[in-house]
Amino acid sequence: WKIITNNNKALSKVFNSLIAVSLLLMSFAFGWYEVRGFFNINHPEIIAAGQAVDRLLPKDAVVIAPYSGDPAFLYQTNRPGWPVGVEIENKIKFGSTHYVSVNHDEVVEWLSKECQVLESTDQYIIIDLQPCQHLAN
């Protein structure tokens, strides 16, 4: 604003205004150039799992979506819940209804034996925790 109001001559005001607008536009452009990589999702399996959750689960479902603590996977599910898969028994007590994972690890194997698997592909697995209320006790 100081650049624009600094001079009284009409030609200087126009020139200063153009400089101010170009500086503003460049700051937005360079800012976007720096942060645009944060908005790329390079893991299509979390997108596929999120679409499956959206298709299979009710809107009021509360999910556990472990992905190394990264909430990007939980965001893809469009459901509230936890982005970490530890202390599952406590999370069931606090109302968690489903477990969604893109990793087929020992936790998934254990839950698959104890609970009902709704859908399992090579990319993801969705497990219903509601029949597993005995785990919360």
Side-chain angles (χ1 to χ4, degrees):
W1 187 249
K2 188 70 172 170
I3 292 173
I4 295 171
T5 60
N6 196 20
N7 248 332
N8 289 337
K9 296 181 183 177
L11 186 59
S12 288
K13 279 191 174 191
V14 170
F15 181 72
N16 288 345
S17 296
L18 288 174
I19 288 178
V21 168
S22 65
L23 285 173
L24 185 65
L25 290 175
M26 284 191 316
S27 68
F28 282 126
F30 285 125
W32 174 250
Y33 181 77
E34 288 296 319
V35 301
R36 67 184 171 159
F38 297 128
F39 295 96
N40 291 340
I41 298 175
N42 298 325
H43 300 282
E45 66 273 7
I46 67 172
I47 296 173
Q51 290 170 345
V53 166
D54 230 9
R55 178 174 40 87
L56 294 172
L57 303 184
K59 292 291 181 190
D60 62 343
V62 179
V63 299
I64 302 171
Y67 194 64
S68 301
D70 188 355
F73 182 32
L74 183 63
Y75 175 77
Q76 291 296 322
T77 66
N78 292 323
R79 303 294 188 280
W82 292 272
V84 290
V86 295
E87 299 179 356
I88 294 170
E89 297 88 355
N90 286 338
K91 290 178 176 68
I92 292 172
K93 281 183 192 175
F94 291 122
S96 181
T97 59
H98 296 84
Y99 187 91
V100 184
S101 181
V102 293
N103 301 320
H104 293 280
D105 55 9
E106 55 275 350
V107 175
V108 169
E109 287 181 34
W110 174 68
L111 284 174
S112 297
K113 292 175 188 171
E114 295 288 327
C115 306
Q116 178 185 1
V117 176
L118 294 179
E119 187 168 289
S120 179
T121 68
D122 59 337
Q123 289 186 317
Y124 61 85
I125 187 166
I126 301 173
I127 301 171
D128 188 0
L129 298 176
Q130 294 172 14
C132 302
Q133 294 300 319
H134 65 279
L135 296 176
N137 298 328

